[in-house]
Amino acid sequence: MSITTNSPKRYVIVGTGARSFMFAESLLGTYRETSVLAAICDQNPKRMEYHNKVYHQKFGCEPVTMYPATDFDEMIRKEKPDVVIVTTIDRTHDEYIIRAMEAGCDVITEKPMTTDENKCREILETVERTGRKLRVTFNYRYAPSRSKVKELLLSGAIGEVRSVHFEWLLNTK
């Protein structure tokens, strides 16, 4: 016998850099009927305030509860999220993934899952030990510009591809 619930799934986001917007916008917009963005967590209070301002302007929502990064565990206890979304800097993904799963939450994280094999092993052991779900996303995979490039390549519009040079120069200043 399966039990269904109509209560929305609760999410929190740790790390409020630019990539967190795509998750927040989906939760506050497209999936607002089935999802709640319960809180955001970051080391930068001004950035969280900015996010709340954008959320209000774009979606008309009330401010989302904000927690400093040092209060991550308190956020989990108080907000009781079903899912923690990790969009912090890559080298801290493992810390938040593991703590969230040990607290009973499923996790969605930005790629890369982590930055080295030991951290990866710790995450996988935590998944096994806790039975929690972990999803690693790959932003931009289906972005319109990337889809168009794939379409052009598959159509043969530029001929046979013999070499590819790709650089990503990320300048956030």
Side-chain angles (χ1 to χ4, degrees), residues 55-170:
Y55 300 161
H56 178 72
Q57 289 172 344
K58 192 164 186 177
F59 301 102
C61 62
E62 293 299 316
V64 175
T65 306
M66 300 182 297
Y67 290 86
T70 54
D71 292 347
F72 175 80
D73 297 314
E74 179 183 343
M75 175 185 68
I76 299 297
R77 278 191 304 276
K78 284 185 175 178
E79 302 300 332
K80 299 180 182 6
D82 299 296
V83 180
V84 173
I85 300 172
V86 179
T87 59
T88 59
I89 57 174
D90 298 347
R91 67 180 166 79
T92 64
H93 284 188
D94 63 305
E95 173 188 347
Y96 292 109
I97 292 168
I98 290 169
R99 285 164 64 190
M101 289 191 297
E102 287 177 342
C105 304
D106 291 333
V107 177
I108 298 171
T109 187
E110 263 295 310
K111 61 101 179 121
M113 181 173 71
T114 192
T115 55
D116 67 45
E117 68 182 272
N118 292 328
K119 290 177 179 182
C120 183
R121 188 174 299 112
E122 289 176 28
I123 291 169
L124 296 176
E125 287 170 357
T126 304
V127 169
E128 183 69 28
R129 184 177 71 255
T130 64
R132 303 312 313 176
K133 294 177 187 169
L134 171 64
R135 283 177 242 136
V136 181
T137 65
F138 183 60
N139 65 8
Y140 293 127
R141 178 173 290 185
Y142 301 105
S145 60
R146 279 36 169 216
S147 296
K148 187 64 175 178
V149 168
K150 181 178 180 181
E151 177 188 321
L152 291 170
L153 291 172
L154 291 175
S155 75
I158 65 168
E160 183 181 347
V161 177
R162 296 175 185 257
S163 177
V164 174
H165 174 83
F166 176 79
E167 275 183 67
W168 184 277
L169 304 174
L170 184 60

Side-chain angles (χ1 to χ4, degrees), residues 11-29:
Y11 293 82
V12 296
I13 297 175
V14 57
T16 56
R19 289 183 181 166
S20 71
F21 271 117
M22 70 180 160
F23 294 100
E25 289 179 351
S26 291
L27 296 172
L28 296 169

